[in-house]
Structures are given as structure tokens and as C-alpha cells.
Amino acid sequence: MKIAMGSDHGGIHLKNHIKQFLEEKGYEVIDHGTYTEDSCDYPDFAEKVCKDVVNGESGAEKGILVCGTGIGISMAANKCKGIRAALVADVFSAKMAAEHNNANVICMGERTTGVGLAEMMVETFLTTPFAGGRHQRRIDKIMALEE
Ligand code: RB5
């Protein structure tokens, strides 16, 4: 599975850690930056990752975004058409984001999340299937709000 990733300067270290973690597990990671610690704007990276996930050009099926808190980058991601981004800070929420909400992006904060927890949340998100059924009806209603 291909995963699109991005962060601002506030999330670069956790983004790079997760990238390495995923590559060691056999995932292909498309890293949309940022690539340096220079100050930058998280909406730019949310846009790159979300467009990649929605357009499917690179083959990325899901996205992972990191900023200082995860808040700003999740707000930006959810403005992108076709995206259901979940800000996660615990493993149960990461599981539910996939199982109930069919999230195609998760977001987290480098300044709020330890690397061990981040690894567990990412692995849970990527390996938990969407349950469908009644949840699909609710997803359809979420997506209808874009119109
Ligand atoms: C950058 O300093 C910081 O504001 C950003 O990474 C993020 O936490 C915003 O929500």
C-alpha cells in the first residue's frame, strides 16, 4: 500500500519517524514535505497530500499529516474535497476513524504525541477495515455536505 505523508516544520520529526517506520514495514511512502526545519505553512502540505489521495495519481490510498498539534493541518485537510481527515491522539480513535468513519487521512501532533503511540495509531489506522453497513449511510451524508 502507498501512503502519502506531509507535515509542516512543527511535525517534521514525527513525520520522518513515521515514514521510516512504515518503510520498514514494507509500505511505500510518498513524502510531500516539508523537508527542512524552516518555518512553513501547514495548509500547503495538507493540500499536497489530500490532492494526492483524492486524485490517486501516485497510487496513494491513504494519507498521514503531522503538525505541532495536528489541529491546523486537520482543519486544512477537511477543506479538501473528498477528504475525511481524523485528528487522532489515541489508538481507539485511530481504529474507529477507519472502522466507522472510513477516514482516508489521519492527522496527529508532534508536540502532543509520543513516537510509540504514533506508531500504534498509524498501524491500527492502516490495518483496520471499514465496517460499512450503517456507517456507509453516514459517510454518504458527510460527503453530501461538500455540495
Ligand atoms: C506551527 O508553529 C504550529 O502552529 C503548527 O504546527 C500547528 O500546531 C497548527 O495547528
Side-chain angles (χ1 to χ4, degrees), residues 47-141:
E47 182 182 13
K48 288 175 201 281
V49 167
C50 291
K51 282 190 170 163
D52 190 3
V53 170
V54 170
N55 296 342
E57 280 167 19
S58 75
E61 294 172 43
K62 291 183 178 173
I64 299 170
L65 291 168
V66 189
C67 68
T69 59
I71 296 171
I73 210 157
S74 65
M75 288 179 171
N78 277 311
K79 295 291 184 190
C80 299
K81 196 164 180 157
I83 290 298
R84 292 176 303 282
L87 172 57
V88 294
D90 64 89
V91 176
F92 180 77
S93 296
K95 182 174 169 61
M96 289 302 107
E99 193 173 305
H100 285 193
N101 309 113
N102 199 15
N104 46 14
V105 172
I106 55 167
C107 309
M108 60 190 79
E110 174 175 318
R111 297 171 186 158
T112 59
T113 311
V115 292
L117 174 59
E119 289 177 3
M120 290 180 76
M121 293 194 300
V122 165
E123 191 163 17
T124 300
F125 169 63
L126 295 177
T127 57
T128 301
F130 176 49
R134 68 188 185 282
H135 301 294
Q136 184 60 56
R137 183 179 69 245
R138 295 159 186 166
I139 300 307
D140 292 343
K141 289 186 177 183

Side-chain angles (χ1 to χ4, degrees), residues 2-31:
K2 286 188 189 175
I3 309 298
M5 291 197 68
S7 75
D8 70 352
H9 58 288
I12 186 174
H13 302 106
L14 184 57
K15 185 258 291 174
N16 290 342
H17 180 91
I18 295 169
K19 178 182 177 184
Q20 187 179 346
F21 171 75
L22 289 176
E23 287 174 343
E24 284 170 5
K25 290 199 166 292
Y27 290 91
E28 185 177 336
V29 175
I30 298 143
D31 185 351

